[in-house]
Coordinates of all heavy atoms in Angstrom, one line a residue:
M1 N 200.5 57.4 51.5 CA 199.9 57.1 52.8 C 201.0 57.1 53.8 O 200.8 57.7 54.9 CB 199.2 55.7 52.7 CG 198.7 55.2 54.0 SD 197.7 53.8 53.9 CE 198.7 52.6 53.2
D2 N 202.1 56.6 53.5 CA 203.2 56.6 54.5 C 203.7 58.0 54.9 O 204.1 58.2 56.0 CB 204.4 55.7 54.0 CG 204.0 54.2 53.9 OD1 203.1 53.8 54.6 OD2 204.7 53.6 53.1
D3 N 203.7 58.9 53.9 CA 204.2 60.2 54.2 C 203.3 60.9 55.2 O 203.8 61.6 56.1 CB 204.3 61.0 52.9 CG 205.3 60.5 51.9 OD1 206.2 59.7 52.3 OD2 205.2 60.7 50.7
W4 N 202.0 60.8 55.1 CA 201.1 61.5 56.0 C 201.4 61.0 57.4 O 201.4 61.7 58.4 CB 199.6 61.2 55.6 CG 199.2 61.7 54.3 CD1 198.6 60.9 53.3 CD2 199.3 63.0 53.7 NE1 198.4 61.7 52.2 CE2 198.8 63.0 52.4 CE3 199.8 64.2 54.2 CZ2 198.7 64.1 51.6 CZ3 199.7 65.3 53.4 CH2 199.2 65.3 52.1
G5 N 201.5 59.7 57.6 CA 201.7 59.1 58.9 C 203.1 59.5 59.5 O 203.2 59.7 60.7
A6 N 204.1 59.6 58.6 CA 205.4 60.0 59.1 C 205.4 61.5 59.6 O 206.0 61.8 60.6 CB 206.4 59.8 58.0
I7 N 204.7 62.3 58.8 CA 204.6 63.7 59.3 C 203.8 63.8 60.6 O 204.2 64.6 61.5 CB 203.9 64.6 58.2 CG1 204.8 64.6 56.9 CG2 203.6 66.0 58.7 CD1 204.1 65.2 55.7
A8 N 202.7 63.0 60.7 CA 202.0 63.0 62.0 C 202.8 62.5 63.1 O 202.8 63.1 64.2 CB 200.8 62.1 61.8
A9 N 203.7 61.5 62.9 CA 204.5 61.0 64.0 C 205.6 62.0 64.4 O 205.9 62.2 65.5 CB 205.2 59.7 63.5
A10 N 206.2 62.7 63.4 CA 207.2 63.7 63.6 C 206.6 64.9 64.4 O 207.2 65.4 65.3 CB 207.8 64.2 62.3
A11 N 205.4 65.3 64.0 CA 204.7 66.4 64.7 C 204.4 66.0 66.2 O 204.5 66.8 67.1 CB 203.4 66.8 64.0
T12 N 204.0 64.7 66.4 CA 203.7 64.3 67.7 C 205.0 64.3 68.6 O 204.9 64.7 69.7 CB 203.1 62.8 67.7 OG1 201.9 62.9 66.9 CG2 202.8 62.3 69.1
L13 N 206.1 63.9 68.0 CA 207.3 63.9 68.7 C 207.7 65.3 69.0 O 208.1 65.6 70.2 CB 208.4 63.2 67.8 CG 209.8 63.2 68.4 CD1 209.8 62.3 69.7 CD2 210.8 62.6 67.4
C14 N 207.6 66.2 68.1 CA 207.8 67.7 68.4 C 206.9 68.2 69.5 O 207.3 69.0 70.3 CB 207.7 68.5 67.1 SG 208.9 68.2 65.9
N15 N 205.7 67.7 69.5 CA 204.7 68.1 70.5 C 205.2 67.7 71.9 O 205.2 68.5 72.8 CB 203.3 67.5 70.2 CG 202.2 67.9 71.1 OD1 202.3 68.9 71.8 ND2 201.2 67.1 71.1
V16 N 205.7 66.5 72.0 CA 206.2 66.0 73.3 C 207.4 66.8 73.7 O 207.5 67.2 74.9 CB 206.5 64.5 73.2 CG1 207.2 64.0 74.4 CG2 205.2 63.7 73.0
I17 N 208.3 67.0 72.8 CA 209.6 67.7 73.1 C 209.2 69.1 73.6 O 209.8 69.6 74.6 CB 210.5 67.7 71.9 CG1 211.1 66.3 71.7 CG2 211.7 68.7 72.1 CD1 211.8 66.1 70.3
W18 N 208.4 69.8 72.9 CA 208.0 71.2 73.2 C 207.2 71.2 74.5 O 207.4 72.2 75.3 CB 207.2 71.9 72.1 CG 208.1 72.3 71.0 CD1 209.0 71.6 70.3 CD2 208.2 73.6 70.5 NE1 209.7 72.4 69.4 CE2 209.2 73.6 69.4 CE3 207.5 74.8 70.7 CZ2 209.5 74.8 68.7 CZ3 207.8 75.9 70.0 CH2 208.8 75.9 69.0
M19 N 206.4 70.2 74.8 CA 205.7 70.2 76.0 C 206.6 70.0 77.2 O 206.5 70.7 78.2 CB 204.7 69.0 76.0 CG 203.9 68.9 77.3 SD 202.8 67.4 77.3 CE 204.0 66.1 77.3
V20 N 207.6 69.2 77.1 CA 208.6 69.0 78.1 C 209.4 70.3 78.4 O 209.7 70.6 79.5 CB 209.6 67.8 77.8 CG1 210.8 67.7 78.7 CG2 208.8 66.5 77.8
R21 N 209.6 71.0 77.3 CA 210.4 72.3 77.5 C 209.5 73.4 78.0 O 209.9 74.5 78.2 CB 211.0 72.7 76.1 CG 212.1 71.8 75.7 CD 212.7 72.3 74.4 NE 213.8 71.4 74.0 CZ 214.4 71.5 72.9 NH1 214.0 72.4 72.0 NH2 215.4 70.7 72.6
G22 N 208.2 73.1 78.1 CA 207.2 74.1 78.6 C 206.8 75.2 77.6 O 206.3 76.2 78.0
K23 N 206.9 74.8 76.3 CA 206.5 75.7 75.3 C 205.1 75.4 74.8 O 204.6 74.3 75.0 CB 207.5 75.7 74.1 CG 208.9 76.2 74.5 CD 209.8 76.1 73.4 CE 211.2 76.6 73.8 NZ 212.2 76.6 72.7
D24 N 204.5 76.3 74.0 CA 203.2 76.1 73.5 C 203.2 75.1 72.4 O 204.0 75.1 71.4 CB 202.7 77.5 72.9 CG 201.2 77.4 72.4 OD1 200.5 76.5 72.9 OD2 200.8 78.2 71.6
T25 N 202.3 74.1 72.5 CA 202.3 73.0 71.5 C 201.1 72.9 70.6 O 201.0 71.9 69.9 CB 202.4 71.6 72.3 OG1 201.2 71.6 73.1 CG2 203.6 71.5 73.2
K26 N 200.3 74.0 70.6 CA 199.0 73.9 69.9 C 199.2 73.6 68.4 O 198.5 72.9 67.8 CB 198.2 75.1 70.1 CG 198.7 76.4 69.5 CD 197.8 77.6 69.8 CE 198.5 78.8 69.3 NZ 197.8 80.0 69.8
W27 N 200.3 74.2 67.8 CA 200.4 74.0 66.3 C 200.9 72.6 66.0 O 200.5 72.0 65.0 CB 201.4 75.0 65.7 CG 200.8 76.4 65.7 CD1 201.1 77.4 66.4 CD2 199.7 76.8 64.8 NE1 200.3 78.5 66.1 CE2 199.4 78.1 65.1 CE3 199.0 76.1 63.8 CZ2 198.4 78.8 64.5 CZ3 198.0 76.8 63.2 CH2 197.7 78.1 63.5
F28 N 201.8 72.0 66.9 CA 202.2 70.6 66.6 C 201.1 69.7 66.9 O 200.9 68.7 66.2 CB 203.4 70.3 67.6 CG 204.7 70.9 67.2 CD1 205.3 71.8 68.1 CD2 205.2 70.8 65.9 CE1 206.5 72.4 67.7 CE2 206.4 71.4 65.6 CZ 207.0 72.2 66.5
R29 N 200.2 70.0 67.9 CA 199.0 69.1 68.1 C 198.1 69.2 66.9 O 197.6 68.2 66.5 CB 198.4 69.7 69.4 CG 197.3 68.8 69.9 CD 196.8 69.2 71.3 NE 196.6 70.6 71.5 CZ 197.2 71.4 72.3 NH1 198.2 71.0 73.0 NH2 196.9 72.7 72.4
F30 N 197.9 70.4 66.4 CA 197.0 70.5 65.2 C 197.6 69.8 64.0 O 196.9 69.0 63.3 CB 196.8 72.0 64.9 CG 196.1 72.2 63.6 CD1 194.8 72.1 63.5 CD2 196.9 72.6 62.4 CE1 194.1 72.3 62.2 CE2 196.2 72.8 61.2 CZ 194.9 72.7 61.1
I31 N 198.9 69.9 63.8 CA 199.5 69.3 62.6 C 199.4 67.8 62.8 O 199.1 67.0 61.8 CB 201.0 69.8 62.4 CG1 201.0 71.2 62.0 CG2 201.7 68.9 61.5 CD1 202.3 71.9 62.1
S32 N 199.7 67.3 64.0 CA 199.7 65.9 64.2 C 198.4 65.2 64.0 O 198.2 64.2 63.3 CB 200.2 65.6 65.6 OG 200.1 64.2 65.9
L33 N 197.3 65.8 64.6 CA 196.0 65.3 64.4 C 195.5 65.4 63.0 O 194.8 64.5 62.5 CB 195.1 65.9 65.4 CG 195.4 65.5 66.9 CD1 194.4 66.3 67.8 CD2 195.2 64.0 67.1
S34 N 195.9 66.5 62.3 CA 195.4 66.7 60.9 C 196.1 65.6 60.0 O 195.4 65.0 59.2 CB 195.8 68.1 60.4 OG 195.2 69.1 61.2
F35 N 197.4 65.4 60.2 CA 198.0 64.4 59.3 C 197.6 63.0 59.7 O 197.7 62.1 58.8 CB 199.5 64.7 59.3 CG 199.9 65.8 58.4 CD1 200.1 67.0 58.9 CD2 200.1 65.5 57.0 CE1 200.5 68.1 58.0 CE2 200.5 66.5 56.2 CZ 200.6 67.8 56.7
T36 N 197.2 62.8 60.9 CA 196.7 61.5 61.3 C 195.4 61.2 60.5 O 195.2 60.1 59.9 CB 196.4 61.4 62.8 OG1 197.7 61.5 63.5 CG2 195.8 60.1 63.2
A37 N 194.6 62.3 60.4 CA 193.3 62.1 59.7 C 193.6 61.9 58.2 O 192.9 61.1 57.5 CB 192.4 63.4 59.9
L38 N 194.6 62.6 57.7 CA 194.9 62.5 56.2 C 195.5 61.1 56.0 O 195.2 60.5 54.9 CB 195.9 63.5 55.8 CG 195.4 65.0 55.7 CD1 196.5 66.0 55.5 CD2 194.4 65.1 54.6
A39 N 196.2 60.5 56.9 CA 196.7 59.2 56.7 C 195.6 58.1 56.7 O 195.6 57.2 55.9 CB 197.7 58.8 57.9
L40 N 194.6 58.4 57.5 CA 193.4 57.5 57.5 C 192.7 57.6 56.2 O 192.3 56.6 55.7 CB 192.5 57.8 58.7 CG 193.0 57.5 60.1 CD1 192.1 58.1 61.2 CD2 193.2 56.1 60.3
C41 N 192.5 58.8 55.7 CA 191.8 59.0 54.4 C 192.6 58.4 53.3 O 192.0 57.8 52.4 CB 191.6 60.5 54.2 SG 190.4 61.2 55.3
A42 N 193.9 58.5 53.3 CA 194.7 57.9 52.3 C 194.6 56.4 52.3 O 194.5 55.7 51.2 CB 196.2 58.3 52.5
C43 N 194.6 55.8 53.5 CA 194.5 54.3 53.6 C 193.1 53.9 53.0 O 193.0 52.9 52.3 CB 194.7 53.9 55.0 SG 194.6 52.1 55.2
Y44 N 192.1 54.6 53.4 CA 190.7 54.3 52.9 C 190.7 54.4 51.3 O 190.1 53.6 50.6 CB 189.7 55.3 53.5 CG 188.3 54.9 53.1 CD1 187.6 54.0 53.8 CD2 187.7 55.6 52.1 CE1 186.3 53.6 53.5 CE2 186.4 55.2 51.7 CZ 185.7 54.3 52.5 OH 184.4 54.0 52.1
G45 N 191.4 55.4 50.8 CA 191.5 55.6 49.3 C 192.2 54.4 48.6 O 191.7 54.0 47.6
V46 N 193.2 53.9 49.2 CA 193.9 52.8 48.7 C 193.0 51.6 48.7 O 192.9 50.9 47.7 CB 195.2 52.5 49.5 CG1 195.8 51.1 49.1 CG2 196.2 53.6 49.3
N47 N 192.3 51.4 49.8 CA 191.4 50.2 49.8 C 190.2 50.4 48.8 O 189.8 49.4 48.2 CB 190.8 50.1 51.2 CG 191.7 49.4 52.2 OD1 192.7 48.8 51.8 ND2 191.5 49.6 53.5
A48 N 189.7 51.6 48.6 CA 188.7 51.9 47.6 C 189.2 51.6 46.2 O 188.5 51.0 45.4 CB 188.2 53.3 47.7
K49 N 190.5 51.9 45.9 CA 191.0 51.6 44.6 C 191.1 50.1 44.4 O 190.8 49.6 43.3 CB 192.4 52.3 44.5 CG 193.0 52.1 43.1 CD 194.3 52.8 43.0 CE 195.0 52.6 41.6 NZ 194.6 51.5 40.8
W50 N 191.5 49.4 45.4 CA 191.6 47.9 45.3 C 190.3 47.3 45.1 O 190.1 46.4 44.3 CB 192.2 47.3 46.6 CG 193.7 47.6 46.7 CD1 194.6 47.9 45.7 CD2 194.5 47.5 47.9 NE1 195.9 48.0 46.2 CE2 195.8 47.8 47.6 CE3 194.2 47.3 49.2 CZ2 196.8 47.9 48.5 CZ3 195.2 47.3 50.2 CH2 196.5 47.6 49.8
V51 N 189.2 47.9 45.7 CA 187.9 47.4 45.5 C 187.5 47.6 44.0 O 186.9 46.8 43.3 CB 186.9 48.0 46.5 CG1 185.4 47.7 46.0 CG2 187.1 47.5 47.9
S52 N 187.7 48.9 43.6 CA 187.3 49.2 42.2 C 188.1 48.4 41.1 O 187.6 48.1 40.1 CB 187.4 50.7 41.9 OG 188.7 51.1 42.0
D53 N 189.3 48.1 41.5 CA 190.1 47.3 40.6 C 189.8 45.8 40.7 O 190.3 45.0 39.9 CB 191.6 47.5 40.8 CG 192.1 48.9 40.4 OD1 191.4 49.6 39.7 OD2 193.2 49.3 40.9
G54 N 189.1 45.4 41.7 CA 188.8 44.0 41.9 C 190.0 43.2 42.5 O 190.0 42.0 42.3
D55 N 190.9 43.9 43.1 CA 192.1 43.2 43.7 C 191.8 42.7 45.1 O 192.2 43.2 46.1 CB 193.2 44.3 43.7 CG 194.6 43.6 44.0 OD1 194.6 42.4 44.2 OD2 195.6 44.3 43.9
W56 N 191.0 41.6 45.1 CA 190.6 41.1 46.4 C 191.7 40.5 47.2 O 191.7 40.5 48.4 CB 189.5 40.0 46.1 CG 188.4 40.6 45.3 CD1 188.0 40.2 44.0 CD2 187.5 41.7 45.7 NE1 187.0 41.0 43.6 CE2 186.6 41.9 44.6 CE3 187.4 42.5 46.8 CZ2 185.7 42.9 44.6 CZ3 186.4 43.5 46.8 CH2 185.6 43.7 45.7
S57 N 192.7 40.0 46.5 CA 193.9 39.4 47.3 C 194.6 40.5 48.1 O 195.0 40.2 49.2 CB 194.8 38.6 46.3 OG 195.4 39.5 45.4
A58 N 194.7 41.7 47.5 CA 195.4 42.8 48.2 C 194.5 43.1 49.4 O 195.1 43.4 50.5 CB 195.6 44.0 47.3
L59 N 193.2 43.2 49.2 CA 192.3 43.6 50.3 C 192.4 42.5 51.5 O 192.5 42.8 52.6 CB 190.9 43.7 49.9 CG 190.5 44.9 49.1 CD1 189.2 44.8 48.4 CD2 190.5 46.1 50.1
L60 N 192.4 41.2 51.1 CA 192.4 40.2 52.1 C 193.8 40.1 52.8 O 193.8 39.8 54.0 CB 192.1 38.8 51.4 CG 190.7 38.7 50.9 CD1 190.6 37.4 50.1 CD2 189.7 38.6 52.1
D61 N 194.9 40.4 52.1 CA 196.2 40.3 52.7 C 196.5 41.5 53.6 O 197.1 41.3 54.6 CB 197.3 40.2 51.6 CG 197.3 38.8 50.9 OD1 196.7 37.9 51.4 OD2 197.9 38.8 49.8
V62 N 196.2 42.7 53.1 CA 196.7 43.9 53.8 C 195.7 44.5 54.7 O 196.0 45.0 55.8 CB 197.1 44.9 52.7 CG1 197.5 46.3 53.3 CG2 198.2 44.4 51.8
T63 N 194.4 44.6 54.4 CA 193.4 45.4 55.1 C 193.3 45.0 56.6 O 193.3 45.9 57.5 CB 192.1 45.4 54.4 OG1 192.3 45.9 53.1 CG2 191.1 46.2 55.1
P64 N 193.2 43.7 56.9 CA 193.0 43.4 58.4 C 194.1 43.9 59.2 O 193.9 44.4 60.3 CB 192.9 41.8 58.4 CG 192.4 41.5 57.0 CD 193.1 42.5 56.1
T65 N 195.4 43.7 58.8 CA 196.5 44.1 59.6 C 196.6 45.6 59.6 O 196.8 46.2 60.7 CB 197.8 43.5 59.0 OG1 197.7 42.1 58.9 CG2 199.0 43.9 59.8
V66 N 196.4 46.3 58.5 CA 196.5 47.7 58.5 C 195.4 48.4 59.3 O 195.7 49.4 59.9 CB 196.5 48.2 57.0 CG1 196.4 49.8 56.9 CG2 197.8 47.8 56.3
A67 N 194.2 47.8 59.2 CA 193.1 48.4 60.0 C 193.5 48.4 61.5 O 193.2 49.4 62.2 CB 191.8 47.6 59.8
N68 N 194.0 47.3 62.0 CA 194.4 47.2 63.4 C 195.5 48.2 63.7 O 195.5 48.9 64.8 CB 194.8 45.8 63.8 CG 193.7 44.9 63.8 OD1 192.5 45.2 64.0 ND2 194.0 43.6 63.5
C69 N 196.5 48.3 62.8 CA 197.6 49.3 63.0 C 197.1 50.7 63.0 O 197.5 51.5 63.9 CB 198.6 49.1 61.9 SG 200.0 50.2 62.1
L70 N 196.1 51.0 62.1 CA 195.6 52.4 62.1 C 194.9 52.7 63.4 O 194.9 53.9 63.9 CB 194.7 52.6 60.9 CG 195.4 52.6 59.5 CD1 194.4 52.6 58.4 CD2 196.3 53.8 59.4
W71 N 194.1 51.8 63.9 CA 193.4 52.0 65.2 C 194.4 52.3 66.3 O 194.2 53.3 67.0 CB 192.6 50.8 65.6 CG 191.2 50.8 65.0 CD1 190.7 50.1 64.0 CD2 190.1 51.6 65.5 NE1 189.4 50.4 63.8 CE2 189.0 51.3 64.7 CE3 190.0 52.6 66.5 CZ2 187.8 52.0 64.8 CZ3 188.7 53.2 66.6 CH2 187.7 52.9 65.8
V72 N 195.4 51.5 66.4 CA 196.4 51.7 67.5 C 197.1 53.0 67.3 O 197.3 53.8 68.3 CB 197.4 50.5 67.4 CG1 198.6 50.8 68.3 CG2 196.8 49.2 67.9
C73 N 197.6 53.3 66.1 CA 198.3 54.6 65.9 C 197.5 55.8 66.1 O 197.9 56.8 66.7 CB 198.9 54.6 64.4 SG 200.2 53.4 64.2
T74 N 196.2 55.7 65.7 CA 195.3 56.9 66.0 C 195.0 57.1 67.5 O 195.1 58.2 67.9 CB 194.0 56.6 65.2 OG1 194.2 56.5 63.8 CG2 193.0 57.8 65.4
V75 N 194.8 56.0 68.2 CA 194.6 56.1 69.6 C 195.8 56.7 70.3 O 195.7 57.5 71.2 CB 194.1 54.8 70.2 CG1 194.1 54.8 71.7 CG2 192.7 54.4 69.7
I76 N 197.0 56.2 69.9 CA 198.2 56.7 70.5 C 198.4 58.2 70.2 O 198.8 59.0 71.1 CB 199.4 55.9 70.0 CG1 199.4 54.5 70.7 CG2 200.7 56.6 70.3 CD1 200.4 53.5 70.1
S77 N 198.1 58.6 69.0 CA 198.2 60.0 68.6 C 197.3 60.9 69.4 O 197.7 61.9 69.9 CB 197.9 60.1 67.1 OG 198.0 61.5 66.7
I78 N 196.1 60.4 69.5 CA 195.1 61.2 70.3 C 195.5 61.3 71.8 O 195.5 62.4 72.4 CB 193.7 60.6 70.2 CG1 193.1 60.8 68.8 CG2 192.7 61.2 71.2 CD1 191.9 60.0 68.5
A79 N 196.0 60.2 72.3 CA 196.4 60.2 73.7 C 197.6 61.1 74.0 O 197.6 61.9 74.9 CB 196.8 58.7 74.2
I80 N 198.6 61.0 73.1 CA 199.8 61.8 73.3 C 199.5 63.3 73.1 O 200.0 64.1 73.9 CB 201.0 61.3 72.4 CG1 201.5 60.0 72.8 CG2 202.1 62.3 72.3 CD1 202.5 59.4 71.8
N81 N 198.8 63.6 72.1 CA 198.4 65.0 71.9 C 197.5 65.5 73.0 O 197.5 66.7 73.3 CB 197.8 65.2 70.5 CG 198.9 65.1 69.4 OD1 199.8 65.9 69.3 ND2 198.8 64.0 68.6
G82 N 196.6 64.6 73.5 CA 195.7 65.0 74.6 C 196.5 65.3 75.9 O 196.0 66.2 76.7
V83 N 197.6 64.7 76.1 CA 198.4 64.9 77.3 C 198.8 66.4 77.3 O 198.8 67.0 78.4 CB 199.6 64.0 77.4 CG1 200.6 64.4 78.4 CG2 199.1 62.6 77.7
S84 N 199.2 66.9 76.2 CA 199.7 68.3 76.2 C 198.5 69.3 76.4 O 198.7 70.3 77.0 CB 200.4 68.7 74.8 OG 199.5 68.6 73.8
L85 N 197.3 68.9 76.1 CA 196.1 69.7 76.4 C 195.8 69.7 77.9 O 195.6 70.7 78.5 CB 194.9 69.1 75.7 CG 194.6 69.6 74.3 CD1 193.4 68.9 73.7 CD2 194.4 71.1 74.3
L86 N 195.9 68.5 78.5 CA 195.6 68.4 79.9 C 196.7 69.0 80.8 O 196.4 69.6 81.8 CB 195.5 66.9 80.3 CG 194.3 66.1 79.7 CD1 194.3 64.7 80.0 CD2 193.0 66.8 80.1
K87 N 198.0 68.9 80.3 CA 199.0 69.5 81.1 C 198.9 71.0 81.1 O 199.2 71.7 82.1 CB 200.4 69.2 80.5 CG 201.5 69.6 81.3 CD 202.9 69.1 80.8 CE 204.0 69.5 81.7 NZ 204.9 70.5 81.3
K88 N 198.4 71.6 80.0 CA 198.2 73.1 79.9 C 197.2 73.6 80.9 O 197.3 74.7 81.4 CB 197.7 73.4 78.5 CG 197.9 74.8 78.1 CD 199.3 75.1 77.7 CE 199.3 76.4 76.9 NZ 200.7 76.8 76.7
S89 N 196.1 72.8 81.2 CA 195.0 73.2 82.1 C 195.4 73.4 83.5 O 196.1 72.8 84.2 CB 193.9 72.2 82.0 OG 193.5 71.9 80.7

């Protein structure tokens, strides 16, 4: 799960750097949003495994905090990547 998010963050950073340099950012934008989606799916998969294992303490301890973090990171990823789309227009 962490690897997908790290790749998404790195691609977003590259997107911003290339945008500032005036270069085409469509591939970094695609990679960033794709790996953001994969990170969300991986987190959902971990939670599903905890449910099937009956590990309720893990769900109660981790899920509320991680859910908020995923919302924030996803909104930030969309906003940053959207800026490069709007700047292009």
Side-chain angles (χ1 to χ4, degrees):
M1 177 170 58
D2 293 336
D3 295 338
W4 301 124
I7 294 169
T12 302
L13 180 63
C14 290
N15 184 17
V16 170
I17 291 169
W18 281 53
M19 181 185 66
V20 169
R21 292 182 179 174
K23 297 181 180 181
D24 186 24
T25 61
K26 68 181 174 188
W27 288 108
F28 289 121
R29 191 169 47 244
F30 171 76
I31 292 167
S32 174
L33 293 175
S34 297
F35 279 94
T36 298
L38 290 171
L40 292 171
C41 291
C43 185
Y44 186 83
V46 169
N47 282 341
K49 183 178 181 335
W50 288 338
V51 168
S52 66
D53 291 346
D55 193 353
W56 305 113
S57 62
L59 283 166
L60 291 170
D61 289 343
V62 175
T63 302
T65 304
V66 171
N68 291 332
C69 181
L70 289 173
W71 272 105
V72 169
C73 291
T74 301
V75 169
I76 289 171
S77 177
I78 292 169
I80 290 173
N81 287 293
V83 167
S84 66
L85 271 176
L86 295 175
K87 187 174 187 249
K88 195 85 164 171
S89 310

